[in-house]
């Protein structure tokens, strides 16, 4: 009886041990499988980041090279080519900032990814500084200034240098991730982008705005009577309708200051003065109407219209007329152009 009980206990113990060993094997198998799956997931994230970052970095390398070509070789371009290149660089730099910011997830290494994003953003903002400085000096209209960019080229290069150094220190962490993903070294192509090179570009004669602003027509209502050149023979009118046209032959919008003075002689001749500013679109004209110009019969005087543009204030356009107001108003009117 005792031996039978012993054998039963022994079989129970052996069965329990078999079950425990089996369960332990399953646990170890699941643990190993989970480890492999975790490593595989980390590898996938690392490879995904490196593939996306590789594309962003390659586009960034090309953007930096194109910007250096613009600064160094842009003196051989005309204004149309320069304007289109600047617009393209502005668009690329903005798109790269957006693409880089999307690389913060999924997370490979927060420090690593933040360093890469900061590096690409610093490159893009440095390019935007060049775009804004050249566009501003050459009077190219822009879609609006980007915010939070360095104040000048020296500040941009300093910020870019710090971001580049931080990324070079951080990118070693990428190769230590599961699967050892890597990025090629970022191209160093901005050594020729200097304040001196930028000044030389901005003073290139072929890139300066051409043309100017001038008075293209003068009109009065009632229309002037036939008279000698340089004289306005006017009918008495209260008030007199006086207008003139400003033509801008530049390829950029121009701010124009104008001044109109009507000096008169004789009793009861009040004279008048009118001045102001107006924005005239590129290769366009605009009309100015002078209010409250009064005349009296028999009046004699002098009318002068003068204007100057913001881009070249040393040059002005002037039209002057001797003014005679008829006493009887019986002559036949004729248009004045």
């Amino acid at each position: 009886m005792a031996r039978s009980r012993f054998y039963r206990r022994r079989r129970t113990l052996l069965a329990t041990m078999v079950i425990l060993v089996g369960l332990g094997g399953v646990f170890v198998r699941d643990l190993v499988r989970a480890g492999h799956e975790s490593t595989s997931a980390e590898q996938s994230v690392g490879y995904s980041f490196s593939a996306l970052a590789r594309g962003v970095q390659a586009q960034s390398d090309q953007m930096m090279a194109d910007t250096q070509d613009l600064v160094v070789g842009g003196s051989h371009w005309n204004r149309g080519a320069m304007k289109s290149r600047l617009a393209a660089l502005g668009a690329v730099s903005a798109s790269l900032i957006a693409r880089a910011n999307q690389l913060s997830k999924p997370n490979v290494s927060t420090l690593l990814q933040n360093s890469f994003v900061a590096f690409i953003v610093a490159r893009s903002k440095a390019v935007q500084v060049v775009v804004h400085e050249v566009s501003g000096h050459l009077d190219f209209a822009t879609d609006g200034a980007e915010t939070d960019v360095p104040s000048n080229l020296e500040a941009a290069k300093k910020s870019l240098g710090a971001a580049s150094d931080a990324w070079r220190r951080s990118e070693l962490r990428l190769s230590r991730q599961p699967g050892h993903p890597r990025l090629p070294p970022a191209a160093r192509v901005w050594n020729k982008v200097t304040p001196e090179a930028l000044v030389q570009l901005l003073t290139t004669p072929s890139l300066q705005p051409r043309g100017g602003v001038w008075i293209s027509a003068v009109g009065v209502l009632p229309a002037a009577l036939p008279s000698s050149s340089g004289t306005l023979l006017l009918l008495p009118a209260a008030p007199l309708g006086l207008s003139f046209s400003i033509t801008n032959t530049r390829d950029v919008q121009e701010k124009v200051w104008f001044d109109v003075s009507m000096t008169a002689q004789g009793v009861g001749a009040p004279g008048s003065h009118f001045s102001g500013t107006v924005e005239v679109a590129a290769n366009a004209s605009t009309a100015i109407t002078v209010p409250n110009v009064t005349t009296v019969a028999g009046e004699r005087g002098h009318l002068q219209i003068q204007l100057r543009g913001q881009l070249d204030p040393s040059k002005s356009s002037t039209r002057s007329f001797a003014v005679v107001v008829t006493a009887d108003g019986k002559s036949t009117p004729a248009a004045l152009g």
Side-chain angles (χ1 to χ4, degrees):
M1 178 67 70
R3 178 176 293 183
S4 176
R5 187 181 300 112
F6 171 76
Y7 281 117
R8 284 199 301 272
R9 289 178 179 175
R10 184 178 179 184
R11 286 197 299 271
T12 301
L13 181 60
L14 288 175
T16 301
M17 290 181 64
V18 169
I19 292 172
L20 289 176
V21 170
L23 291 174
V26 170
F27 176 77
V28 171
R29 182 198 64 192
D30 290 344
L31 186 64
V32 171
R33 180 183 297 172
H36 283 303
E37 289 177 351
S38 175
T39 300
S40 177
E42 290 178 357
Q43 288 180 352
S44 177
V45 170
Y47 286 142
S48 176
F49 169 78
S50 63
L52 294 172
R54 186 184 299 267
V56 170
Q57 181 173 292
Q59 188 177 12
S60 176
D61 285 347
Q62 187 61 56
M63 175 188 68
M64 299 298 281
D66 290 343
T67 306
Q68 178 163 276
D69 288 344
L70 180 143
V71 173
V72 176
S75 59
H76 301 293
W77 303 347
N78 57 34
R79 284 178 61 83
M82 176 61 71
K83 188 174 183 178
S84 63
R85 298 286 184 91
L86 290 170
L89 285 173
V92 169
S93 63
S95 70
L96 275 175
I97 291 176
R99 288 183 63 192
N101 285 326
Q102 292 174 351
L103 293 177
S104 58
K105 293 182 179 181
N107 186 51
V108 179
S109 165
T110 301
L111 180 61
L112 183 153
Q113 287 165 274
N114 288 347
S115 295
F116 181 76
V117 170
F119 169 58
I120 298 299
V121 170
R123 279 183 152 197
S124 297
K125 289 187 180 296
V127 169
Q128 289 174 355
V129 168
V130 173
V131 170
H132 294 160
E133 288 202 16
V134 176
S135 296
H137 279 82
L138 298 182
D139 298 291
F140 292 139
T142 59
D143 294 333
E146 298 290 337
T147 58
D148 191 31
V149 297
S151 58
N152 54 49
L153 184 59
E154 284 294 342
K157 295 189 75 170
K158 183 177 180 181
S159 177
L160 176 57
S164 299
D165 291 342
W167 166 239
R168 278 193 289 271
R169 291 192 298 270
S170 296
E171 65 179 335
L172 294 175
R173 295 183 177 88
L174 182 62
S175 62
R176 300 191 186 110
Q177 300 299 315
H180 308 292
R182 293 179 180 274
L183 286 176
R188 301 187 183 188
V189 290
W190 252 44
N191 58 307
K192 296 181 181 179
V193 179
T194 63
E196 294 76 16
L198 197 57
V199 169
Q200 185 174 356
L201 173 68
L202 297 176
T203 55
T204 300
S206 63
L207 295 176
Q208 307 312 308
R210 299 183 181 276
V213 292
W214 53 289
I215 302 167
S216 53
V218 178
V220 292
L221 188 69
L225 304 174
S227 62
S228 59
S229 177
T231 300
L232 290 179
L233 182 59
L234 305 176
L235 296 169
L240 174 70
L242 173 62
S243 62
F244 60 96
S245 294
I246 302 173
T247 296
N248 176 22
T249 57
R250 296 186 190 276
D251 63 350
V252 296
Q253 181 170 289
E254 175 84 280
K255 184 177 183 179
V256 180
W257 288 268
F258 60 84
D259 186 90
V260 181
S261 62
M262 181 84 155
T263 58
Q265 301 172 352
V267 179
S272 62
H273 182 264
F274 179 64
S275 62
T277 61
V278 64
E279 297 281 350
V280 186
N283 298 307
S285 297
T286 190
I288 303 295
T289 299
V290 183
N292 303 322
V293 180
T294 59
T295 60
V296 296
E299 176 185 338
R300 290 179 178 272
H302 182 77
L303 171 65
Q304 177 174 281
I305 305 172
Q306 186 176 38
L307 58 85
R308 57 188 174 87
Q310 183 180 36
L311 296 181
D312 192 358
S314 63
K315 295 181 179 180
S316 63
S317 176
T318 303
R319 296 285 294 274
S320 297
F321 303 90
V323 177
V324 178
V325 182
T326 64
D328 53 23
K330 293 181 181 180
S331 302
T332 303
L336 175 70

